[in-house]
Amino acid sequence: MGQRLYYAVEENGFFDRNFCAPLRSFTIRITDNTGQEVITVKRPLRCSSCWFPCYLQQLEVQSPPGTTIGYVVQKWDPLLPIFTIRNGNDEDVLKITGPYMTCGCFGDVDFEVKSLNDMSTIGKISKYWSGFVNNIFTNTANFGIQIPVDLDVKSNMFPLLSSPLITL
């Protein structure tokens, strides 16, 4: 419906932010419109290279903060960014597949959210193009998530909400 549901604030250190850039570790605190923290996302410093398939990106999603409800884990692929969404029991639930080029030069970057067998597309996560000047001179980004209204919140939705926070 285009309404803002959550507000996210990233916490990280100077070194991570300036020297590790998109691979940085962070904690993101997500609050609802009343200012109450409803989701915490934690990502350790990891790799994003096909040369280090044993140490790929992953993040943990907690809701309420302190209670792990899911994970987003990068899968090794030589060409595409591929992630799985896992529930709180560490079981694969959904798959996210990105495009070959994720730089988003002069256009949006869309990641498809699919069933585990790739037979159906359930939704998409988009990093929106915000203009040349904004992309060059700021570190901000705008994301959108399109998912079915009836998606099971407990096993799927909260890890899905945080998945665009993985390096795009």
Side-chain angles (χ1 to χ4, degrees), residues 1-3 5-6 30 39 85 94 96 109-111 113 122-128 142-149 151 156-165 168:
M1 306 272 307
Q3 298 174 358
L5 300 176
Y6 301 105
I30 300 174
I39 303 171
I85 296 173
L94 295 172
I96 302 171
V109 178
D110 293 325
F111 284 67
V113 179
I122 296 168
K124 75 176 180 175
I125 302 166
S126 300
K127 180 180 179 186
Y128 297 122
N142 292 310
F143 295 93
I145 301 171
Q146 295 179 6
I147 53 174
V149 174
L151 187 64
N156 299 338
M157 189 167 174
F158 286 121
L160 179 60
L161 286 174
S162 62
S163 57
L165 303 174
L168 294 179

PDB file of all heavy atoms in Angstrom, residues 1-3 5-6 30 39 85 94 96 109-111 113 122-128 142-149 151 156-165 168:
ATOM      1  N   MET A   1       0.819  -1.191   0.000  1.00  0.00           N
ATOM      2  CA  MET A   1       0.000   0.000   0.000  1.00  0.00           C
ATOM      3  C   MET A   1       0.865   1.258   0.000  1.00  0.00           C
ATOM      4  O   MET A   1       0.339   2.345  -0.027  1.00  0.00           O
ATOM      5  CB  MET A   1      -0.924   0.005   1.215  1.00  0.00           C
ATOM      6  CG  MET A   1      -1.771  -1.241   1.370  1.00  0.00           C
ATOM      7  SD  MET A   1      -3.343  -1.234   0.523  1.00  0.00           S
ATOM      8  CE  MET A   1      -4.104   0.237   1.074  1.00  0.00           C
ATOM      9  N   GLY A   2       2.192   1.100   0.058  1.00  0.00           N
ATOM     10  CA  GLY A   2       3.075   2.251   0.006  1.00  0.00           C
ATOM     11  C   GLY A   2       3.216   3.008   1.314  1.00  0.00           C
ATOM     12  O   GLY A   2       3.754   4.106   1.332  1.00  0.00           O
ATOM     13  N   GLN A   3       2.769   2.433   2.421  1.00  0.00           N
ATOM     14  CA  GLN A   3       2.872   3.105   3.708  1.00  0.00           C
ATOM     15  C   GLN A   3       4.134   2.661   4.435  1.00  0.00           C
ATOM     16  O   GLN A   3       4.537   1.506   4.344  1.00  0.00           O
ATOM     17  CB  GLN A   3       1.658   2.787   4.568  1.00  0.00           C
ATOM     18  CG  GLN A   3       0.365   3.251   3.974  1.00  0.00           C
ATOM     19  CD  GLN A   3      -0.823   2.781   4.803  1.00  0.00           C
ATOM     20  OE1 GLN A   3      -0.669   2.091   5.787  1.00  0.00           O
ATOM     21  NE2 GLN A   3      -2.003   3.161   4.381  1.00  0.00           N
ATOM     22  N   LEU A   5       5.992   1.267   7.363  1.00  0.00           N
ATOM     23  CA  LEU A   5       5.626   0.432   8.496  1.00  0.00           C
ATOM     24  C   LEU A   5       6.713   0.424   9.562  1.00  0.00           C
ATOM     25  O   LEU A   5       6.423   0.290  10.746  1.00  0.00           O
ATOM     26  CB  LEU A   5       5.361  -1.005   8.049  1.00  0.00           C
ATOM     27  CG  LEU A   5       4.245  -1.198   7.038  1.00  0.00           C
ATOM     28  CD1 LEU A   5       4.174  -2.656   6.615  1.00  0.00           C
ATOM     29  CD2 LEU A   5       2.920  -0.737   7.605  1.00  0.00           C
ATOM     30  N   TYR A   6       7.961   0.533   9.138  1.00  0.00           N
ATOM     31  CA  TYR A   6       9.091   0.428  10.043  1.00  0.00           C
ATOM     32  C   TYR A   6      10.124   1.495   9.720  1.00  0.00           C
ATOM     33  O   TYR A   6      10.185   2.015   8.606  1.00  0.00           O
ATOM     34  CB  TYR A   6       9.761  -0.948   9.932  1.00  0.00           C
ATOM     35  CG  TYR A   6       8.840  -2.085  10.247  1.00  0.00           C
ATOM     36  CD1 TYR A   6       8.315  -2.887   9.238  1.00  0.00           C
ATOM     37  CD2 TYR A   6       8.498  -2.375  11.559  1.00  0.00           C
ATOM     38  CE1 TYR A   6       7.466  -3.936   9.526  1.00  0.00           C
ATOM     39  CE2 TYR A   6       7.644  -3.425  11.859  1.00  0.00           C
ATOM     40  CZ  TYR A   6       7.140  -4.200  10.837  1.00  0.00           C
ATOM     41  OH  TYR A   6       6.305  -5.233  11.134  1.00  0.00           O
ATOM     42  N   ILE A  30      15.101  -2.045  14.254  1.00  0.00           N
ATOM     43  CA  ILE A  30      13.926  -1.655  13.476  1.00  0.00           C
ATOM     44  C   ILE A  30      12.792  -1.353  14.450  1.00  0.00           C
ATOM     45  O   ILE A  30      12.449  -2.189  15.295  1.00  0.00           O
ATOM     46  CB  ILE A  30      13.533  -2.763  12.486  1.00  0.00           C
ATOM     47  CG1 ILE A  30      14.709  -3.029  11.529  1.00  0.00           C
ATOM     48  CG2 ILE A  30      12.275  -2.373  11.717  1.00  0.00           C
ATOM     49  CD1 ILE A  30      14.514  -4.188  10.599  1.00  0.00           C
ATOM     50  N   ILE A  39      12.234  -5.399  15.784  1.00  0.00           N
ATOM     51  CA  ILE A  39      13.132  -6.333  15.112  1.00  0.00           C
ATOM     52  C   ILE A  39      14.569  -5.869  15.335  1.00  0.00           C
ATOM     53  O   ILE A  39      14.864  -4.680  15.256  1.00  0.00           O
ATOM     54  CB  ILE A  39      12.866  -6.397  13.593  1.00  0.00           C
ATOM     55  CG1 ILE A  39      11.422  -6.771  13.302  1.00  0.00           C
ATOM     56  CG2 ILE A  39      13.822  -7.380  12.914  1.00  0.00           C
ATOM     57  CD1 ILE A  39      11.043  -6.631  11.831  1.00  0.00           C
ATOM     58  N   ILE A  85      16.310 -18.007   3.097  1.00  0.00           N
ATOM     59  CA  ILE A  85      15.696 -17.517   4.322  1.00  0.00           C
ATOM     60  C   ILE A  85      15.394 -18.750   5.152  1.00  0.00           C
ATOM     61  O   ILE A  85      14.764 -19.693   4.671  1.00  0.00           O
ATOM     62  CB  ILE A  85      14.408 -16.737   4.016  1.00  0.00           C
ATOM     63  CG1 ILE A  85      14.735 -15.493   3.207  1.00  0.00           C
ATOM     64  CG2 ILE A  85      13.706 -16.366   5.327  1.00  0.00           C
ATOM     65  CD1 ILE A  85      13.508 -14.750   2.720  1.00  0.00           C
ATOM     66  N   LEU A  94      12.518 -20.085   2.240  1.00  0.00           N
ATOM     67  CA  LEU A  94      12.405 -19.416   0.944  1.00  0.00           C
ATOM     68  C   LEU A  94      13.793 -19.189   0.367  1.00  0.00           C
ATOM     69  O   LEU A  94      14.800 -19.346   1.053  1.00  0.00           O
ATOM     70  CB  LEU A  94      11.696 -18.061   1.097  1.00  0.00           C
ATOM     71  CG  LEU A  94      10.242 -18.070   1.535  1.00  0.00           C
ATOM     72  CD1 LEU A  94       9.763 -16.650   1.826  1.00  0.00           C
ATOM     73  CD2 LEU A  94       9.371 -18.716   0.478  1.00  0.00           C
ATOM     74  N   ILE A  96      16.138 -16.413  -2.203  1.00  0.00           N
ATOM     75  CA  ILE A  96      16.231 -15.090  -2.824  1.00  0.00           C
ATOM     76  C   ILE A  96      17.308 -15.161  -3.892  1.00  0.00           C
ATOM     77  O   ILE A  96      18.425 -15.607  -3.611  1.00  0.00           O
ATOM     78  CB  ILE A  96      16.604 -14.005  -1.796  1.00  0.00           C
ATOM     79  CG1 ILE A  96      15.580 -13.952  -0.675  1.00  0.00           C
ATOM     80  CG2 ILE A  96      16.744 -12.646  -2.473  1.00  0.00           C
ATOM     81  CD1 ILE A  96      15.989 -13.061   0.486  1.00  0.00           C
ATOM     82  N   VAL A 109      17.332  -2.276  -8.733  1.00  0.00           N
ATOM     83  CA  VAL A 109      17.875  -3.635  -8.690  1.00  0.00           C
ATOM     84  C   VAL A 109      16.837  -4.497  -7.978  1.00  0.00           C
ATOM     85  O   VAL A 109      16.463  -4.217  -6.841  1.00  0.00           O
ATOM     86  CB  VAL A 109      19.216  -3.683  -7.928  1.00  0.00           C
ATOM     87  CG1 VAL A 109      19.725  -5.111  -7.852  1.00  0.00           C
ATOM     88  CG2 VAL A 109      20.238  -2.785  -8.590  1.00  0.00           C
ATOM     89  N   ASP A 110      16.364  -5.544  -8.655  1.00  0.00           N
ATOM     90  CA  ASP A 110      15.326  -6.407  -8.103  1.00  0.00           C
ATOM     91  C   ASP A 110      15.871  -7.786  -7.769  1.00  0.00           C
ATOM     92  O   ASP A 110      16.594  -8.394  -8.567  1.00  0.00           O
ATOM     93  CB  ASP A 110      14.174  -6.570  -9.099  1.00  0.00           C
ATOM     94  CG  ASP A 110      13.410  -5.282  -9.310  1.00  0.00           C
ATOM     95  OD1 ASP A 110      13.273  -4.509  -8.348  1.00  0.00           O
ATOM     96  OD2 ASP A 110      12.950  -5.050 -10.449  1.00  0.00           O
ATOM     97  N   PHE A 111      15.523  -8.263  -6.583  1.00  0.00           N
ATOM     98  CA  PHE A 111      15.834  -9.616  -6.144  1.00  0.00           C
ATOM     99  C   PHE A 111      14.510 -10.360  -6.046  1.00  0.00           C
ATOM    100  O   PHE A 111      13.567  -9.872  -5.416  1.00  0.00           O
ATOM    101  CB  PHE A 111      16.512  -9.603  -4.771  1.00  0.00           C
ATOM    102  CG  PHE A 111      17.951  -9.186  -4.795  1.00  0.00           C
ATOM    103  CD1 PHE A 111      18.314  -7.896  -5.117  1.00  0.00           C
ATOM    104  CD2 PHE A 111      18.950 -10.097  -4.488  1.00  0.00           C
ATOM    105  CE1 PHE A 111      19.639  -7.508  -5.138  1.00  0.00           C
ATOM    106  CE2 PHE A 111      20.279  -9.721  -4.505  1.00  0.00           C
ATOM    107  CZ  PHE A 111      20.623  -8.419  -4.826  1.00  0.00           C
ATOM    108  N   VAL A 113      12.038 -13.250  -4.691  1.00  0.00           N
ATOM    109  CA  VAL A 113      11.820 -14.153  -3.569  1.00  0.00           C
ATOM    110  C   VAL A 113      11.018 -15.323  -4.118  1.00  0.00           C
ATOM    111  O   VAL A 113       9.940 -15.139  -4.679  1.00  0.00           O
ATOM    112  CB  VAL A 113      11.056 -13.453  -2.424  1.00  0.00           C
ATOM    113  CG1 VAL A 113      10.831 -14.424  -1.278  1.00  0.00           C
ATOM    114  CG2 VAL A 113      11.803 -12.217  -1.960  1.00  0.00           C
ATOM    115  N   ILE A 122       7.361 -15.542  -5.206  1.00  0.00           N
ATOM    116  CA  ILE A 122       6.466 -15.130  -4.136  1.00  0.00           C
ATOM    117  C   ILE A 122       6.444 -13.612  -3.988  1.00  0.00           C
ATOM    118  O   ILE A 122       5.441 -13.026  -3.634  1.00  0.00           O
ATOM    119  CB  ILE A 122       6.892 -15.810  -2.818  1.00  0.00           C
ATOM    120  CG1 ILE A 122       6.715 -17.314  -2.978  1.00  0.00           C
ATOM    121  CG2 ILE A 122       6.127 -15.275  -1.628  1.00  0.00           C
ATOM    122  CD1 ILE A 122       7.354 -18.129  -1.905  1.00  0.00           C
ATOM    123  N   GLY A 123       7.560 -12.964  -4.243  1.00  0.00           N
ATOM    124  CA  GLY A 123       7.650 -11.518  -4.088  1.00  0.00           C
ATOM    125  C   GLY A 123       8.958 -11.008  -4.624  1.00  0.00           C
ATOM    126  O   GLY A 123       9.680 -11.722  -5.320  1.00  0.00           O
ATOM    127  N   LYS A 124       9.267  -9.758  -4.284  1.00  0.00           N
ATOM    128  CA  LYS A 124      10.553  -9.212  -4.700  1.00  0.00           C
ATOM    129  C   LYS A 124      11.017  -8.152  -3.719  1.00  0.00           C
ATOM    130  O   LYS A 124      10.217  -7.533  -3.013  1.00  0.00           O
ATOM    131  CB  LYS A 124      10.501  -8.662  -6.116  1.00  0.00           C
ATOM    132  CG  LYS A 124       9.808  -7.351  -6.291  1.00  0.00           C
ATOM    133  CD  LYS A 124       9.923  -6.873  -7.738  1.00  0.00           C
ATOM    134  CE  LYS A 124       9.221  -5.534  -7.896  1.00  0.00           C
ATOM    135  NZ  LYS A 124       9.409  -4.986  -9.225  1.00  0.00           N
ATOM    136  N   ILE A 125      12.331  -7.997  -3.678  1.00  0.00           N
ATOM    137  CA  ILE A 125      12.985  -6.971  -2.874  1.00  0.00           C
ATOM    138  C   ILE A 125      13.688  -6.068  -3.872  1.00  0.00           C
ATOM    139  O   ILE A 125      14.421  -6.542  -4.731  1.00  0.00           O
ATOM    140  CB  ILE A 125      14.004  -7.599  -1.910  1.00  0.00           C
ATOM    141  CG1 ILE A 125      13.311  -8.613  -1.003  1.00  0.00           C
ATOM    142  CG2 ILE A 125      14.726  -6.526  -1.104  1.00  0.00           C
ATOM    143  CD1 ILE A 125      14.263  -9.507  -0.256  1.00  0.00           C
ATOM    144  N   SER A 126      13.471  -4.770  -3.755  1.00  0.00           N
ATOM    145  CA  SER A 126      14.046  -3.828  -4.715  1.00  0.00           C
ATOM    146  C   SER A 126      14.891  -2.787  -4.013  1.00  0.00           C
ATOM    147  O   SER A 126      14.513  -2.266  -2.966  1.00  0.00           O
ATOM    148  CB  SER A 126      12.937  -3.101  -5.484  1.00  0.00           C
ATOM    149  OG  SER A 126      12.134  -4.017  -6.180  1.00  0.00           O
ATOM    150  N   LYS A 127      16.051  -2.512  -4.600  1.00  0.00           N
ATOM    151  CA  LYS A 127      16.847  -1.364  -4.204  1.00  0.00           C
ATOM    152  C   LYS A 127      16.564  -0.313  -5.266  1.00  0.00           C
ATOM    153  O   LYS A 127      16.866  -0.501  -6.430  1.00  0.00           O
ATOM    154  CB  LYS A 127      18.333  -1.690  -4.161  1.00  0.00           C
ATOM    155  CG  LYS A 127      19.175  -0.497  -3.750  1.00  0.00           C
ATOM    156  CD  LYS A 127      20.657  -0.835  -3.707  1.00  0.00           C
ATOM    157  CE  LYS A 127      21.451   0.397  -3.313  1.00  0.00           C
ATOM    158  NZ  LYS A 127      22.889   0.139  -3.408  1.00  0.00           N
ATOM    159  N   TYR A 128      15.953   0.795  -4.826  1.00  0.00           N
ATOM    160  CA  TYR A 128      15.492   1.797  -5.782  1.00  0.00           C
ATOM    161  C   TYR A 128      16.603   2.759  -6.180  1.00  0.00           C
ATOM    162  O   TYR A 128      17.386   3.204  -5.348  1.00  0.00           O
ATOM    163  CB  TYR A 128      14.313   2.587  -5.196  1.00  0.00           C
ATOM    164  CG  TYR A 128      13.108   1.738  -4.915  1.00  0.00           C
ATOM    165  CD1 TYR A 128      12.569   1.668  -3.647  1.00  0.00           C
ATOM    166  CD2 TYR A 128      12.514   0.990  -5.926  1.00  0.00           C
ATOM    167  CE1 TYR A 128      11.457   0.895  -3.386  1.00  0.00           C
ATOM    168  CE2 TYR A 128      11.407   0.208  -5.664  1.00  0.00           C
ATOM    169  CZ  TYR A 128      10.892   0.168  -4.402  1.00  0.00           C
ATOM    170  OH  TYR A 128       9.793  -0.611  -4.149  1.00  0.00           O
ATOM    171  N   ASN A 142      17.290   3.375  -0.617  1.00  0.00           N
ATOM    172  CA  ASN A 142      15.872   3.115  -0.395  1.00  0.00           C
ATOM    173  C   ASN A 142      15.533   1.734  -0.924  1.00  0.00           C
ATOM    174  O   ASN A 142      15.894   1.397  -2.053  1.00  0.00           O
ATOM    175  CB  ASN A 142      15.012   4.166  -1.105  1.00  0.00           C
ATOM    176  CG  ASN A 142      15.172   5.530  -0.476  1.00  0.00           C
ATOM    177  OD1 ASN A 142      15.062   5.678   0.722  1.00  0.00           O
ATOM    178  ND2 ASN A 142      15.449   6.517  -1.307  1.00  0.00           N
ATOM    179  N   PHE A 143      14.820   0.967  -0.110  1.00  0.00           N
ATOM    180  CA  PHE A 143      14.441  -0.382  -0.468  1.00  0.00           C
ATOM    181  C   PHE A 143      12.935  -0.531  -0.414  1.00  0.00           C
ATOM    182  O   PHE A 143      12.263   0.170   0.342  1.00  0.00           O
ATOM    183  CB  PHE A 143      15.066  -1.392   0.504  1.00  0.00           C
ATOM    184  CG  PHE A 143      16.558  -1.442   0.450  1.00  0.00           C
ATOM    185  CD1 PHE A 143      17.321  -0.678   1.303  1.00  0.00           C
ATOM    186  CD2 PHE A 143      17.200  -2.256  -0.466  1.00  0.00           C
ATOM    187  CE1 PHE A 143      18.702  -0.714   1.264  1.00  0.00           C
ATOM    188  CE2 PHE A 143      18.583  -2.303  -0.524  1.00  0.00           C
ATOM    189  CZ  PHE A 143      19.331  -1.533   0.350  1.00  0.00           C
ATOM    190  N   GLY A 144      12.429  -1.455  -1.178  1.00  0.00           N
ATOM    191  CA  GLY A 144      11.017  -1.795  -1.136  1.00  0.00           C
ATOM    192  C   GLY A 144      10.869  -3.298  -1.147  1.00  0.00           C
ATOM    193  O   GLY A 144      11.701  -4.009  -1.703  1.00  0.00           O
ATOM    194  N   ILE A 145       9.824  -3.767  -0.504  1.00  0.00           N
ATOM    195  CA  ILE A 145       9.548  -5.195  -0.436  1.00  0.00           C
ATOM    196  C   ILE A 145       8.114  -5.417  -0.874  1.00  0.00           C
ATOM    197  O   ILE A 145       7.204  -4.760  -0.380  1.00  0.00           O
ATOM    198  CB  ILE A 145       9.740  -5.737   0.988  1.00  0.00           C
ATOM    199  CG1 ILE A 145      11.172  -5.488   1.451  1.00  0.00           C
ATOM    200  CG2 ILE A 145       9.409  -7.218   1.047  1.00  0.00           C
ATOM    201  CD1 ILE A 145      11.396  -5.800   2.903  1.00  0.00           C
ATOM    202  N   GLN A 146       7.924  -6.326  -1.821  1.00  0.00           N
ATOM    203  CA  GLN A 146       6.586  -6.702  -2.250  1.00  0.00           C
ATOM    204  C   GLN A 146       6.382  -8.173  -1.913  1.00  0.00           C
ATOM    205  O   GLN A 146       7.080  -9.032  -2.442  1.00  0.00           O
ATOM    206  CB  GLN A 146       6.412  -6.477  -3.750  1.00  0.00           C
ATOM    207  CG  GLN A 146       6.492  -5.027  -4.140  1.00  0.00           C
ATOM    208  CD  GLN A 146       6.352  -4.829  -5.638  1.00  0.00           C
ATOM    209  OE1 GLN A 146       6.081  -5.766  -6.382  1.00  0.00           O
ATOM    210  NE2 GLN A 146       6.549  -3.609  -6.075  1.00  0.00           N
ATOM    211  N   ILE A 147       5.445  -8.421  -1.000  1.00  0.00           N
ATOM    212  CA  ILE A 147       5.142  -9.778  -0.571  1.00  0.00           C
ATOM    213  C   ILE A 147       3.639  -9.923  -0.442  1.00  0.00           C
ATOM    214  O   ILE A 147       2.934  -8.934  -0.267  1.00  0.00           O
ATOM    215  CB  ILE A 147       5.815 -10.116   0.782  1.00  0.00           C
ATOM    216  CG1 ILE A 147       5.460  -9.060   1.840  1.00  0.00           C
ATOM    217  CG2 ILE A 147       7.311 -10.251   0.619  1.00  0.00           C
ATOM    218  CD1 ILE A 147       5.957  -9.374   3.221  1.00  0.00           C
ATOM    219  N   PRO A 148       3.135 -11.145  -0.528  1.00  0.00           N
ATOM    220  CA  PRO A 148       1.694 -11.350  -0.352  1.00  0.00           C
ATOM    221  C   PRO A 148       1.250 -10.984   1.055  1.00  0.00           C
ATOM    222  O   PRO A 148       1.993 -11.173   2.017  1.00  0.00           O
ATOM    223  CB  PRO A 148       1.503 -12.847  -0.600  1.00  0.00           C
ATOM    224  CG  PRO A 148       2.749 -13.319  -1.240  1.00  0.00           C
ATOM    225  CD  PRO A 148       3.835 -12.377  -0.846  1.00  0.00           C
ATOM    226  N   VAL A 149       0.063 -10.474   1.179  1.00  0.00           N
ATOM    227  CA  VAL A 149      -0.488 -10.083   2.470  1.00  0.00           C
ATOM    228  C   VAL A 149      -0.609 -11.293   3.397  1.00  0.00           C
ATOM    229  O   VAL A 149      -0.410 -11.186   4.603  1.00  0.00           O
ATOM    230  CB  VAL A 149      -1.866  -9.411   2.278  1.00  0.00           C
ATOM    231  CG1 VAL A 149      -2.530  -9.138   3.605  1.00  0.00           C
ATOM    232  CG2 VAL A 149      -1.713  -8.135   1.488  1.00  0.00           C
ATOM    233  N   LEU A 151       1.369 -13.926   3.657  1.00  0.00           N
ATOM    234  CA  LEU A 151       2.611 -14.646   3.906  1.00  0.00           C
ATOM    235  C   LEU A 151       2.735 -14.923   5.402  1.00  0.00           C
ATOM    236  O   LEU A 151       2.481 -14.046   6.223  1.00  0.00           O
ATOM    237  CB  LEU A 151       3.807 -13.822   3.419  1.00  0.00           C
ATOM    238  CG  LEU A 151       5.162 -14.509   3.459  1.00  0.00           C
ATOM    239  CD1 LEU A 151       5.185 -15.706   2.512  1.00  0.00           C
ATOM    240  CD2 LEU A 151       6.253 -13.527   3.077  1.00  0.00           C
ATOM    241  N   ASN A 156       8.248 -16.703   7.836  1.00  0.00           N
ATOM    242  CA  ASN A 156       8.825 -16.103   6.639  1.00  0.00           C
ATOM    243  C   ASN A 156       9.056 -14.596   6.697  1.00  0.00           C
ATOM    244  O   ASN A 156      10.069 -14.115   6.248  1.00  0.00           O
ATOM    245  CB  ASN A 156       7.913 -16.347   5.434  1.00  0.00           C
ATOM    246  CG  ASN A 156       7.724 -17.801   5.146  1.00  0.00           C
ATOM    247  OD1 ASN A 156       8.530 -18.623   5.536  1.00  0.00           O
ATOM    248  ND2 ASN A 156       6.656 -18.134   4.473  1.00  0.00           N
ATOM    249  N   MET A 157       8.107 -13.855   7.201  1.00  0.00           N
ATOM    250  CA  MET A 157       8.101 -12.421   6.944  1.00  0.00           C
ATOM    251  C   MET A 157       9.246 -11.647   7.572  1.00  0.00           C
ATOM    252  O   MET A 157       9.884 -10.860   6.918  1.00  0.00           O
ATOM    253  CB  MET A 157       6.786 -11.799   7.395  1.00  0.00           C
ATOM    254  CG  MET A 157       6.667 -10.365   6.959  1.00  0.00           C
ATOM    255  SD  MET A 157       4.991  -9.823   7.181  1.00  0.00           S
ATOM    256  CE  MET A 157       5.163  -8.121   6.783  1.00  0.00           C
ATOM    257  N   PHE A 158       9.557 -11.829   8.854  1.00  0.00           N
ATOM    258  CA  PHE A 158      10.580 -11.009   9.469  1.00  0.00           C
ATOM    259  C   PHE A 158      11.967 -11.260   8.879  1.00  0.00           C
ATOM    260  O   PHE A 158      12.683 -10.314   8.623  1.00  0.00           O
ATOM    261  CB  PHE A 158      10.567 -11.127  10.984  1.00  0.00           C
ATOM    262  CG  PHE A 158       9.417 -10.386  11.586  1.00  0.00           C
ATOM    263  CD1 PHE A 158       8.484 -11.036  12.347  1.00  0.00           C
ATOM    264  CD2 PHE A 158       9.247  -9.033  11.357  1.00  0.00           C
ATOM    265  CE1 PHE A 158       7.410 -10.352  12.888  1.00  0.00           C
ATOM    266  CE2 PHE A 158       8.175  -8.336  11.897  1.00  0.00           C
ATOM    267  CZ  PHE A 158       7.255  -9.004  12.666  1.00  0.00           C
ATOM    268  N   PRO A 159      12.397 -12.502   8.622  1.00  0.00           N
ATOM    269  CA  PRO A 159      13.667 -12.646   7.921  1.00  0.00           C
ATOM    270  C   PRO A 159      13.618 -11.998   6.535  1.00  0.00           C
ATOM    271  O   PRO A 159      14.590 -11.428   6.080  1.00  0.00           O
ATOM    272  CB  PRO A 159      13.855 -14.167   7.819  1.00  0.00           C
ATOM    273  CG  PRO A 159      13.062 -14.706   8.943  1.00  0.00           C
ATOM    274  CD  PRO A 159      11.872 -13.782   9.071  1.00  0.00           C
ATOM    275  N   LEU A 160      12.482 -12.050   5.874  1.00  0.00           N
ATOM    276  CA  LEU A 160      12.357 -11.453   4.554  1.00  0.00           C
ATOM    277  C   LEU A 160      12.481  -9.938   4.628  1.00  0.00           C
ATOM    278  O   LEU A 160      13.114  -9.314   3.788  1.00  0.00           O
ATOM    279  CB  LEU A 160      11.017 -11.834   3.934  1.00  0.00           C
ATOM    280  CG  LEU A 160      10.708 -11.280   2.550  1.00  0.00           C
ATOM    281  CD1 LEU A 160      11.755 -11.745   1.563  1.00  0.00           C
ATOM    282  CD2 LEU A 160       9.337 -11.720   2.112  1.00  0.00           C
ATOM    283  N   LEU A 161      11.908  -9.328   5.652  1.00  0.00           N
ATOM    284  CA  LEU A 161      11.985  -7.880   5.785  1.00  0.00           C
ATOM    285  C   LEU A 161      13.420  -7.405   5.926  1.00  0.00           C
ATOM    286  O   LEU A 161      13.765  -6.323   5.492  1.00  0.00           O
ATOM    287  CB  LEU A 161      11.180  -7.405   6.991  1.00  0.00           C
ATOM    288  CG  LEU A 161       9.665  -7.437   6.836  1.00  0.00           C
ATOM    289  CD1 LEU A 161       9.009  -7.082   8.152  1.00  0.00           C
ATOM    290  CD2 LEU A 161       9.204  -6.509   5.740  1.00  0.00           C
ATOM    291  N   SER A 162      14.272  -8.200   6.522  1.00  0.00           N
ATOM    292  CA  SER A 162      15.629  -7.750   6.734  1.00  0.00           C
ATOM    293  C   SER A 162      16.590  -8.157   5.626  1.00  0.00           C
ATOM    294  O   SER A 162      17.696  -7.676   5.571  1.00  0.00           O
ATOM    295  CB  SER A 162      16.149  -8.312   8.046  1.00  0.00           C
ATOM    296  OG  SER A 162      16.170  -9.714   7.963  1.00  0.00           O
ATOM    297  N   SER A 163      16.205  -9.025   4.737  1.00  0.00           N
ATOM    298  CA  SER A 163      17.125  -9.527   3.734  1.00  0.00           C
ATOM    299  C   SER A 163      17.712  -8.481   2.801  1.00  0.00           C
ATOM    300  O   SER A 163      18.834  -8.678   2.342  1.00  0.00           O
ATOM    301  CB  SER A 163      16.505 -10.664   2.945  1.00  0.00           C
ATOM    302  OG  SER A 163      15.316 -10.252   2.346  1.00  0.00           O
ATOM    303  N   PRO A 164      17.050  -7.357   2.489  1.00  0.00           N
ATOM    304  CA  PRO A 164      17.736  -6.393   1.643  1.00  0.00           C
ATOM    305  C   PRO A 164      18.914  -5.756   2.347  1.00  0.00           C
ATOM    306  O   PRO A 164      19.718  -5.092   1.718  1.00  0.00           O
ATOM    307  CB  PRO A 164      16.678  -5.356   1.316  1.00  0.00           C
ATOM    308  CG  PRO A 164      15.603  -5.543   2.284  1.00  0.00           C
ATOM    309  CD  PRO A 164      15.674  -6.960   2.756  1.00  0.00           C
ATOM    310  N   LEU A 165      19.066  -5.988   3.626  1.00  0.00           N
ATOM    311  CA  LEU A 165      20.178  -5.409   4.352  1.00  0.00           C
ATOM    312  C   LEU A 165      21.462  -6.158   4.094  1.00  0.00           C
ATOM    313  O   LEU A 165      22.531  -5.723   4.461  1.00  0.00           O
ATOM    314  CB  LEU A 165      19.854  -5.379   5.840  1.00  0.00           C
ATOM    315  CG  LEU A 165      18.570  -4.615   6.139  1.00  0.00           C
ATOM    316  CD1 LEU A 165      18.225  -4.739   7.615  1.00  0.00           C
ATOM    317  CD2 LEU A 165      18.691  -3.176   5.744  1.00  0.00           C
ATOM    318  N   LEU A 168      24.007  -5.494  -1.382  1.00  0.00           N
ATOM    319  CA  LEU A 168      23.429  -5.537  -2.718  1.00  0.00           C
ATOM    320  C   LEU A 168      24.437  -5.092  -3.734  1.00  0.00           C
ATOM    321  O   LEU A 168      25.224  -4.245  -3.542  1.00  0.00           O
ATOM    322  CB  LEU A 168      22.213  -4.637  -2.795  1.00  0.00           C
ATOM    323  CG  LEU A 168      21.028  -5.065  -1.958  1.00  0.00           C
ATOM    324  CD1 LEU A 168      19.909  -4.067  -2.101  1.00  0.00           C
ATOM    325  CD2 LEU A 168      20.549  -6.427  -2.341  1.00  0.00           C
TER     326      LEU A 168
END
